[in-house]
Amino acid sequence: MRKRTLGLLAMGVVLPLFASLSSARTPDSGTALDRKVRAFLDRRSGDWRELNVPAADGRLLHDLILRNGYRRVLEIGTSTGHSAIWMAWALSKTGGRLITVEIDPSRHGKALRNFREAGVSGYIDARLGDAHDLVPALPGPFDLVFSDADKSWYRNYFEALAPKLVPGGCYATHNVSDTRDTGFGLRDYVDYVKGRNDFDTTFHDRGAGVAVSCKKRPE
Ligand SMILES: C[S@@+](CC[C@H](N)C(=O)[O-])C[C@H]1O[C@@H](n2cnc3c(N)ncnc32)[C@H](O)[C@@H]1O
């Protein structure tokens, strides 16, 4: 009887200890940088007002990079940097770097300040200019592209970048859904990516809608 009580007591002490150790190892609370980025994102949560992605979509991109060990990432449409910060956070763990392009000088400037405050400037090459000119000139290769600028140009960006994406790499496009109208008139784009037999496309609707088209590896 005493042995059983002692056993139960030990479980009561040891099991919560293991639980707290494993939760302490979550990526959000690991390094000093993790804590800095997390604190920045928490502080600014609900305060992104310049067409920025919702946090669910930032998290999706972050997890996509970590899960696949992606290192070479391109974003079209920085705005003030919400999605870029999520991606740079993941790249701080994979040893990678993000190139991000924005046409609006004021948003570009705010993004630079946000990157510094979040602690991720060292993982980001932020460029000011028109992506119509800058993107085709980028040599690549890329593991991941996140397309979130002018919707009317989505297909052109995809066609320019598909050859520069590595096999196994993914092309993520924002405000795109297969099952609902996101309000951007992107049905033609959905049909286009679904028709690309060299890509597998999945749709993620937890946030504002993200299509993730991954380049098939050669058989
Ligand atoms: C939806 S916002 C991007 C939001 C950003 N990904 C975030 O989560 O913070 C789209 C941005 O693309 C920029 N943009 C639109 N056309 C562009 C172009 N041709 N070249 C570069 N940036 C462009 C806009 O100025 C705008 O800031």
Side-chain angles (χ1 to χ4, degrees), residues 94-142:
T94 63
R97 197 168 163 83
L98 170 75
I99 298 174
T100 182
V101 180
E102 172 57 51
I103 201 169
D104 181 301
S106 156
R107 287 183 182 157
H108 170 77
K110 287 182 195 170
L112 293 181
R113 287 193 289 282
N114 286 333
F115 297 157
R116 274 196 294 275
E117 196 181 327
V120 293
S121 295
Y123 305 96
I124 302 178
D125 171 358
R127 303 193 185 178
L128 174 63
D130 188 343
H132 294 200
D133 304 325
L134 294 184
V135 162
L138 292 169
F142 297 109

Side-chain angles (χ1 to χ4, degrees), residues 106-181:
S106 156
R107 287 183 182 157
H108 170 77
K110 287 182 195 170
L112 293 181
R113 287 193 289 282
N114 286 333
F115 297 157
R116 274 196 294 275
E117 196 181 327
V120 293
S121 295
Y123 305 96
I124 302 178
D125 171 358
R127 303 193 185 178
L128 174 63
D130 188 343
H132 294 200
D133 304 325
L134 294 184
V135 162
L138 292 169
F142 297 109
D143 300 314
L144 173 68
V145 174
F146 178 50
S147 175
D148 192 22
D150 40 347
K151 311 311 180 209
S152 64
W153 215 250
Y154 266 13
R155 182 169 168 167
N156 296 323
Y157 290 133
F158 191 103
E159 283 172 350
L161 289 164
K164 297 176 186 174
L165 207 58
V166 297
C170 293
Y171 193 102
T173 318
H174 201 230
N175 302 118
V176 174
S177 172
D178 195 21
T179 51
R180 65 189 167 94
D181 180 4

Side-chain angles (χ1 to χ4, degrees), residues 63-119:
D63 293 351
L64 191 60
I65 291 169
L66 271 193
R67 199 167 50 245
N68 294 290
Y70 289 155
R71 297 167 66 122
R72 297 157 295 187
V73 181
L74 169 66
E75 174 179 61
I76 313 170
T78 320
S79 183
T80 50
H82 192 205
S83 45
I85 288 167
W86 279 96
M87 290 190 280
W89 187 14
L91 291 166
S92 74
K93 302 172 206 294
T94 63
R97 197 168 163 83
L98 170 75
I99 298 174
T100 182
V101 180
E102 172 57 51
I103 201 169
D104 181 301
S106 156
R107 287 183 182 157
H108 170 77
K110 287 182 195 170
L112 293 181
R113 287 193 289 282
N114 286 333
F115 297 157
R116 274 196 294 275
E117 196 181 327

Side-chain angles (χ1 to χ4, degrees), residues 1-12:
M1 187 69 176
R2 256 185 82 200
K3 229 170 153 185
R4 191 161 171 264
T5 312
L6 277 173
L8 287 173
L9 254 174
M11 276 169 67

